[in-house]
């Protein structure tokens, strides 16, 4: 076995609650004992980001540090823990496997939106999804195009555009399909679509190749009644004329210690 190089730096990102703090203290001691340097303040030269908390903590950390290229691994002190795969009691096993390089790095595809407001363009990146919906639970009417091909005039609460990783989040609870994370695709899922003689909207989700652009144009009288939710964070912009969404060229990276982890996670978290 190759001799371990001491002094390698690791960032530990954690929630400010009792459980996460306890895990942080334990993890820091064990990493230091194995020759790692632990940073609480984010260090851009680190080789790994360890995020302690739930899925929300993972999402917030990735956004806070601007989608870094440094890979992530999560220790779950939250509830569902779909991103956070390591249990606190398995920390020793994790460190041992990490030092032996018994893992592989997987890509997580991101969604990118370009929001056109007058002559300005606002860009947002998302890990799970970007949601276009009405403010104050208002019904919205949205023209939806796929690569400039008109798909529908959607009427209802809004739409979710999710990544494969995000397909098991808001998308799944709204009736969308589960998409395997390594597929380069986006999914459009309707939120309470209206289907009547006056309005016709697709009742089910549609999976779109990741190299295609989804364009959403709010009907003129609704352009100031649109809410953009990016991984659960609300953004309100006035005078939206168009929203273009596609799979981003930017990616983040996550360590995986078991090739079957996704399917095991799926079964244990949802069935």
């Amino acid at each position: 076995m190759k001799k371990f190089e001491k002094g390698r730096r690791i960032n530990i990102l954690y929630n400010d609650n009792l459980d996460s703090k306890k895990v942080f203290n334990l993890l820091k001691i064990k990493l230091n004992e194995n020759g790692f340097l632990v940073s609480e303040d984010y260090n851009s030269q680190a080789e790994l980001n360890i995020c302690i908390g739930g899925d929300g903590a993972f999402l917030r950390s990735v956004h806070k540090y601007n989608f870094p290229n440094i890979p992530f691994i999560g220790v779950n002190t939250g509830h569902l823990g779909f991103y956070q795969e390591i249990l606190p009691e398995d920390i020793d096993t994790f460190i041992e496997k990490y030092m032996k390089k018994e893992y592989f790095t997987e890509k997580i595809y991101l969604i990118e939106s370009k929001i056109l407001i007058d002559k300005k363009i606002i860009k947002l990146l998302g890990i799970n999804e970007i949601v276009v919906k009405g403010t104050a639970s208002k019904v919205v009417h949205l023209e939806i195009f796929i690569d400039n091909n008109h798909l529908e005039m959607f009427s209802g609460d809004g739409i979710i555009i999710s990544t494969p990783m995000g397909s098991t989040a808001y998308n799944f609870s709204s009736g969308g399909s589960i998409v395997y994370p390594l597929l380069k695709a986006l999914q459009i899922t309707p939120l309470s679509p209206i289907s009547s003689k006056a309005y016709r909207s697709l009742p089910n989700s549609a999976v779109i190749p990741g190299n295609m652009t989804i364009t959403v144009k709010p009907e003129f009288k609704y352009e100031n009644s649109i809410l953009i939710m990016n991984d659960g964070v609300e953004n309100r912009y006035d005078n939206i004329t168009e929203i273009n969404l596609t799979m981003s060229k930017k990616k983040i990276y996550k360590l995986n210690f078991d090739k079957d982890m996704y399917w095991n996670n799926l079964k244990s978290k949802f069935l």
Side-chain angles (χ1 to χ4, degrees):
M1 177 180 169
K2 184 178 178 181
K3 186 178 179 181
F4 177 62
E5 179 185 352
K6 291 190 176 184
R8 294 156 60 184
R9 187 171 295 279
I10 289 178
N11 293 322
I12 302 183
L13 319 169
Y14 62 96
N15 275 339
D16 188 19
N17 61 50
L18 186 60
D19 288 341
S20 295
K21 186 69 174 179
K22 284 181 179 178
V23 172
F24 165 75
N25 289 329
L26 177 63
L27 186 56
K28 182 177 181 180
I29 290 170
K30 290 182 177 292
L31 287 171
N32 287 159
E33 288 174 350
N34 285 282
F36 291 97
L37 299 175
V38 174
S39 292
E40 283 185 75
D41 296 325
Y42 192 82
N43 188 306
S44 61
Q45 301 304 311
E47 64 180 57
L48 180 65
N49 293 316
I50 301 177
C51 182
I52 303 172
D55 287 340
F58 175 85
L59 295 173
R60 287 191 296 272
S61 294
V62 175
H63 279 272
K64 181 177 180 179
Y65 298 109
N66 198 29
F67 305 88
N69 290 324
I70 302 168
F72 283 83
I73 189 67
V75 180
N76 186 27
T77 59
H79 297 289
L80 186 62
F82 205 82
Y83 284 105
Q84 309 291 84
E85 295 176 356
I86 300 171
L87 296 175
E89 57 266 31
D90 296 330
I91 285 175
D92 288 329
T93 302
F94 151 64
I95 294 174
E96 181 182 355
K97 287 187 174 183
Y98 183 69
M99 292 176 65
K100 291 179 179 179
K101 300 186 184 298
E102 293 178 357
Y103 61 84
F104 58 94
T105 304
E106 61 182 9
K107 300 174 185 176
I108 295 181
Y109 297 108
L110 306 175
I111 181 172
E112 178 179 306
S113 67
K114 294 180 180 178
I115 305 165
L116 278 64
I117 302 172
D118 296 328
K119 295 182 180 180
K120 294 188 300 181
I121 297 177
I122 296 174
K123 295 182 181 181
L124 295 176
L125 282 179
I127 306 164
N128 276 351
E129 74 278 310
I130 289 176
V131 181
V132 182
K133 62 189 304 184
T135 59
S137 299
K138 294 178 181 177
V139 169
V140 289
H141 301 284
L142 307 169
E143 295 275 12
I144 299 176
F145 300 80
I146 309 296
D147 268 1
N148 295 318
N149 296 294
H150 186 262
L151 177 64
E152 64 175 337
M153 164 61 91
F154 172 85
S155 298
D157 285 356
I159 58 169
I160 302 170
I161 304 93
S162 68
T163 64
M165 278 301 291
S167 68
T168 53
Y170 190 12
N171 171 78
F172 181 66
S173 64
S174 300
S177 299
I178 292 173
V179 177
Y180 191 70
L182 296 184
L183 294 177
K184 293 182 178 180
L186 294 174
Q187 184 172 183
I188 305 172
T189 299
L191 292 170
S192 300
I194 298 173
S195 188
S196 65
K197 287 185 176 181
Y199 303 110
R200 270 300 166 205
S201 302
L202 289 174
N204 303 110
S205 63
V207 178
I208 309 299
N211 62 347
M212 291 186 175
T213 299
I214 301 166
T215 299
V216 180
K217 295 182 179 181
E219 195 172 82
F220 177 72
K221 63 182 178 180
Y222 295 99
E223 62 184 2
N224 292 328
S225 303
I226 297 296
L227 190 66
I228 310 292
M229 293 179 60
N230 180 19
D231 287 338
V233 177
E234 295 185 354
N235 302 275
R236 171 75 185 272
Y237 308 106
D238 289 332
N239 304 317
I240 295 175
T241 57
E242 185 174 302
I243 306 161
N244 292 306
L245 305 109
T246 190
M247 185 160 277
S248 175
K249 293 180 181 179
K250 176 73 176 174
K251 305 174 187 67
I252 59 171
Y253 302 89
K254 188 170 174 292
L255 297 192
N256 194 327
F257 292 86
D258 180 356
K259 66 180 180 64
D260 297 319
M261 178 60 74
Y262 180 79
W263 301 114
N264 294 334
N265 246 351
L266 203 63
K267 180 175 176 62
S268 64
K269 306 298 182 183
F270 294 111
L271 298 175

